[in-house]
Amino acid sequence: MKNRILGLDYGEARTGVAISDLLGITAQGLESIAHGNNQKMLLNRIGEIIAEYEIEKIVIGYPLNMNATKGPRAEKTDKFIEKLKNRFKIEVIKIDERLTTVSAHRTMTELSVNKDKKKKIVDTISAQYILQMYLDKNI
């Protein structure tokens, strides 16, 4: 048995969170943290999750432009990654997140999730997709 891996879909207002199972095979959506760009609050909640689930590493979606270049969102994500590493002394792995939000919306539409609920869970589903991509590459 090994420790769990945390998946994050970092956003300026909300951050989706997913965790792996203990075997590192599947990702489950955990929650969406509505932080309104309050990074202290966000980091505190992530710290609680790391402690509760004995997280060994973090996988974070990296928002590259469609042409694979870095834009302002990627730069903000880089700054947040540095804060994660400095605060938790834990490995943080970037995963190309292009089209994960599109996939999450498609899945919710196929499941007939109503518009109001979509907004609340899209980040969690995106975090789950990001983490599952990492797990699938590393089984």
Side-chain angles (χ1 to χ4, degrees):
M1 189 166 15
K2 56 186 185 178
N3 291 340
R4 296 177 191 262
I5 301 169
L6 184 68
L8 297 176
D9 179 29
Y10 173 67
E12 289 186 48
R14 289 182 316 275
T15 295
V17 182
I19 58 169
S20 72
D21 65 329
L22 287 168
L23 298 174
I25 297 170
T26 63
Q28 295 86 37
L30 188 62
E31 67 183 80
S32 182
I33 305 168
H35 53 86
N37 209 18
N38 179 340
Q39 290 199 343
K40 183 177 181 185
M41 186 263 258
L42 175 59
L43 290 167
N44 287 342
R45 180 63 189 128
I46 290 171
E48 292 168 359
I49 293 167
I50 288 171
E52 181 179 349
Y53 292 98
E54 300 177 354
I55 301 297
E56 70 177 4
K57 70 177 80 163
I58 298 171
V59 175
I60 189 167
Y62 198 61
L64 294 171
N65 294 323
M66 290 309 288
N67 65 359
T69 60
K70 278 175 61 171
R73 285 194 59 235
E75 290 171 16
K76 287 178 184 176
T77 301
D78 283 333
K79 288 177 184 169
F80 183 68
I81 289 169
E82 284 308 307
K83 288 180 182 181
L84 288 171
K85 287 179 179 177
N86 291 335
R87 175 142 176 198
F88 302 115
K89 310 296 184 228
I90 192 168
E91 181 182 9
V92 180
I93 299 161
K94 298 178 200 176
I95 292 286
D96 181 353
E97 70 169 20
R98 287 179 285 181
L99 302 178
T100 55
T101 302
V102 172
S103 296
H105 276 288
R106 185 176 299 129
T107 298
M108 290 185 295
T109 299
E110 289 171 5
L111 295 172
S112 301
V113 175
N114 77 41
K115 196 168 115 178
D116 294 331
K117 191 165 185 183
K118 276 184 187 180
K119 196 174 198 178
K120 293 177 184 173
I121 65 172
V122 66
D123 302 302
T124 306
I125 294 172
S126 294
Q128 185 177 349
Y129 283 173
I130 289 163
L131 180 54
Q132 192 64 57
M133 282 190 292
Y134 172 79
L135 295 174
D136 289 348
K137 286 182 184 176
N138 292 285
I139 287 182

